[in-house]
Amino acid sequence: MSNHNNNRLMAALNAVEREPQNPSAHLNLGLLYFLMGRLDEAIYALERAVELDPNKTNPYNLLGAVYFQKLEAEAGIAAFQKALELSPKDDVIMSNLGNLYRHLGRIKEATEAFNDTLRLNPRNASAYLGLAALEVFSGQRKDFDTYITQARECLRSDAYYDHALLAALTKNLDASFEHLSKLPPPPLPSLPPSPPFSSLHPPPRYQSLMS
């Protein structure tokens, strides 16, 4: 672990120890564990945040992302849906749900989620890219060029997006579609039914770096 990450983790653990009933402290710790790839510990921290304040959106949205990474699809869907119950107009959460459906090959549900995203925010680039990818998967090209163009327009003002990468991928839309349409779909894992959040993982102890 780098010194930077080590210091960040120590600070997050100290915050939880100082304020064990503060849901934001557990949320921040869960986010850090997620970014470090320590997914089981991230889930435990985020579930603790949910227990302390079940009406906050962010822990559920981040739980969805963690379960997505762990390929625990049904738990991820449930987490995103709970986040949307709390914040039904959040286009980012809606597009996250659409991308999870897309990954699972559930095209109808993914399309609905991306269209709902664009109704909430017509400048959500992730939804346009998701719809373009769905056309590739289905071997169609009715609106592929339009979706890619819309995504590029939305991303022009996004300082956090790799504009060079998007430009390289979409410089020649004909070549892009031909290349993407020849790629095999990603293998889908065998996913057993997921139990409720609280019973998914035995709660690991926080690994204090001070001991």
Side-chain angles (χ1 to χ4, degrees):
M1 183 189 303
S2 69
N3 287 335
H4 178 65
N5 284 338
N6 185 43
N7 292 337
R8 291 176 65 192
L9 183 56
M10 287 186 68
L13 288 166
N14 279 328
V16 168
E17 289 179 6
R18 286 195 308 270
E19 299 182 271
Q21 300 303 309
N22 183 348
S24 294
H26 293 276
L27 173 63
N28 291 335
L29 180 60
L31 174 60
L32 183 56
Y33 276 139
F34 172 63
L35 295 174
M36 295 170 66
R38 294 167 62 168
L39 302 183
D40 288 328
E41 290 161 296
I43 288 174
Y44 180 55
L46 295 169
E47 286 183 342
R48 182 60 180 146
V50 166
E51 289 173 6
L52 292 169
D53 188 350
N55 296 315
K56 293 289 187 184
T57 300
N58 285 341
Y60 290 109
N61 187 37
L62 188 51
L63 270 171
V66 176
Y67 286 129
F68 193 166
Q69 289 251 340
K70 285 177 65 68
L71 301 180
E72 295 184 11
E74 294 305 320
I77 291 170
F80 287 138
Q81 288 177 336
K82 180 61 179 178
L84 285 169
E85 287 179 18
L86 296 170
S87 297
K89 295 184 179 181
D90 192 314
D91 62 292
V92 173
I93 300 171
M94 186 68 75
S95 67
N96 287 343
L97 179 60
N99 277 310
L100 179 49
Y101 283 137
R102 177 175 63 82
H103 178 78
L104 295 171
R106 293 164 62 169
I107 293 176
K108 181 176 183 294
E109 291 158 299
T111 301
E112 291 174 353
F114 289 136
N115 286 330
D116 286 343
T117 298
L118 293 173
R119 277 190 282 273
L120 294 169
N121 177 13
R123 295 192 59 78
N124 186 299
S126 177
Y128 286 118
L129 292 172
L131 288 168
L134 291 176
E135 292 218 339
V136 171
F137 295 155
S138 62
Q140 300 178 14
R141 190 169 175 170
K142 179 182 177 183
D143 296 307
F144 176 82
D145 296 19
T146 300
Y147 292 144
I148 291 294
T149 300
Q150 291 284 1
R152 293 174 72 179
E153 289 298 318
C154 294
L155 291 168
R156 287 184 190 279
S157 59
D158 187 346
Y160 298 99
Y161 199 84
D162 188 339
H163 297 269
L165 176 60
L166 183 66
L169 289 173
T170 61
K171 183 177 181 180
N172 185 323
L173 295 180
D174 290 329
S176 296
F177 186 84
E178 182 179 358
H179 171 70
L180 291 171
S181 63
K182 291 179 179 177
L183 294 177
L188 297 179
S190 176
L191 298 170
S194 298
F197 291 142
S198 59
S199 61
L200 269 167
H201 302 280
R205 294 175 180 171
Y206 292 131
Q207 297 181 10
S208 175
L209 297 176
M210 298 177 291
S211 59

